[in-house]
Every structure is written in structure tokens, then in C-alpha cells.
Amino acid sequence: MIRHIFKTSTWNPTEMEWLRAANTLSEPERERISQFMYKRDAKQSMAGRLMMRSCFAQLSGETPESFHLSRDESGKPYIVDPSPSLSSLSFNVSHAGDYAAFAASTTAKIGVDVMKVELRRNTSVQQFFSHMKRQFTDFEWQKIRSPATDRGKLVNFYRHWCLKESYVKAIGTGLKFGLQRIQFDLGDLENGICRSTTVSVDGVLNLNWKFEEIFQDNHFVTIAMGNAEFSSEDSASVKVLNFSDLVVSEDPLSDKFYFASFDEKKELP
């Protein structure tokens, strides 16, 4: 089981780093990243793509730029014509807040979501929750609203949201799957980790799904795993990557304007 996160908010890529990263991707991937208005979004998308390709290269022995990636109907990426070493690999990527997250497994269906615990600007907790009323069951709303403080309520909200997102990403439907059909019964977070949360779908408990919830640096990283079993030797900790940990192209993209157009963007709105 692979669990990686990359703190994009503190990554200030040099020209050489950005051009080597860009040369690792396909032309459509580069074009998509160039369309982002802000550095934050470009860096998150770049980091997610690099973590994917780095993982594929390490598992297969191939170069990271050699893989042809596409997306299914729900937008989930997949490898076109994978080699035998990658044919059973399930993987997923997410980015929000300060991080991009990546998870992969050869034995389980995988979905991952990351969210920063924060309140949207110019709104109260109650206003925020009112816009999300249809996304949770009455049982879940009772749990979300149970803490005495707004901070506690937000923590429970984002915990539930990450669980739902990770599950629908793992099954490949995205948010088209009615979120009130899914109900989570939260386990206890111990030292920022929980592996005992359970899910019911259409009112039926489904023990074929396991969930890892990791609370780190005010972010939840949640991994949904279908048909998975936890091993006592398999810790639920994530590995925080730096650019130097990634397998990227040794050669930079020759088009230096690609970095210049990135570098002139604002970091945030």
C-alpha cells in the first residue's frame, strides 16, 4: 500500500525543477496545467501527476514519461495499456489546501481524498452547513453537529466529507452517486489515525470496505479500500515527499516560456 503526500504550499519550484517536471508529462497534461490561473492550482496538479508517474516508474522500472494516461467517464485517471507489473494497480490522486495526496494498491480498489479543515470566507458554520444539507444523513448530521465548538463541528464535517469523496472515487462514480445513500459510522481517532470507521450503503453495512483516516497538519487524508485487509505490519502513516523524492525526467523541457508563464502567476486569488 502506497500513501504519499506532497506539501505544495511550501514548494517554490526553480526553473529547472519546473521544466524537468513538465518534461515528465504528456503535452495534454502540460497544457491542462498551464491553464490554471494561480500557482497554487498548477503546483497541486503538477505534484499529483508527478506522484502518479513516479510510482509507476518505481514499480515497473520504466521511465516516468513513458506512460500514456487517460481518464474514464468519471474523470478518474488510468494507465492505457499498462505493463504486467502495473495491470492490477489501483490508484487515485487528490489535492486541496496545502497538499496533493496519492494512494495506490495492487490488492484493493483505491480512492483518496484530502481536505483542509477551514471555513470558507464570509460565511458562518451554520450557513456553510445549510448549503451541504443534502449530502449527509440525519445520523451523520447528528455526529457532525455534536461538538460544542464550531471548530469541532468543522473537523467532523470534513472528516465525513473526505470519507464520502474517497468512497465514490474508489467505486468510480464520483459525486453522481447519491451521497445520502452512503452513511459512515465514525471510529475513534487515536494519535491522528483511525482505521475502524465503517460504511453502510442503502442501509446495509458493507464490511468489504476499509477506511484509513489520517489527520495531519490540519488536513484529513482519507483512503477508501475495497476488498482490503489491514496488516499489523502495515502502518497507516503517510510519507511526505519532496521534489527530490520523485522520479522525474532528467532533461528539462526546452520551452523555457513554460516556466515563465507559470512564474508570473499569483500564488493565490
Side-chain angles (χ1 to χ4, degrees), residues 76-125:
K76 190 174 183 179
Y78 66 92
I79 307 170
V80 178
D81 297 326
S83 63
S85 60
L86 299 175
S87 60
S88 63
L89 186 71
S90 176
F91 62 92
N92 200 219
V93 67
S94 178
H95 39 74
D98 299 329
Y99 287 94
F102 173 79
S105 173
T106 57
T107 59
K109 286 185 177 181
I110 293 294
V112 64
D113 195 54
V114 57
M115 289 297 292
K116 185 176 183 179
V117 177
E118 60 182 351
L119 186 62
R120 303 297 189 243
R121 290 183 295 180
N122 302 318
T123 188
S124 68
V125 170

Side-chain angles (χ1 to χ4, degrees), residues 8-45:
T8 55
S9 64
T10 57
W11 181 36
N12 297 304
T14 64
E15 180 180 63
M16 180 59 71
E17 284 179 347
W18 194 251
L19 294 178
R20 285 180 61 204
N23 206 36
T24 308
L25 308 187
S26 66
E27 178 58 35
E29 288 174 309
R30 289 195 294 268
E31 177 63 22
R32 183 174 182 176
I33 290 172
S34 72
Q35 297 303 311
F36 287 112
M37 291 184 62
Y38 300 104
K39 283 184 177 179
R40 174 196 61 190
D41 304 312
K43 290 190 297 182
Q44 288 179 341
S45 183

Side-chain angles (χ1 to χ4, degrees), residues 193-262:
I193 294 172
C194 178
R195 302 175 101 182
S196 57
T197 290
T198 57
V199 66
S200 296
V201 181
D202 295 329
V204 179
L205 181 65
N206 189 337
L207 296 178
N208 291 324
W209 284 88
K210 308 293 184 185
F211 299 89
E212 287 188 346
E213 302 171 79
I214 302 161
F215 189 57
Q216 179 170 315
D217 194 18
N218 199 38
H219 290 66
F220 276 106
V221 179
T222 302
I223 304 166
M225 297 166 286
N227 300 313
E229 293 294 335
F230 291 135
S231 166
S232 59
E233 299 177 356
D234 184 26
S235 71
S237 61
V238 294
K239 182 177 180 180
V240 182
L241 301 182
N242 298 307
F243 184 80
S244 60
D245 298 315
L246 300 170
V247 181
V248 300
S249 172
E250 290 295 327
D251 300 316
L253 188 71
S254 59
D255 180 9
K256 292 192 175 183
F257 178 73
Y258 192 79
F259 174 76
S261 63
F262 161 78

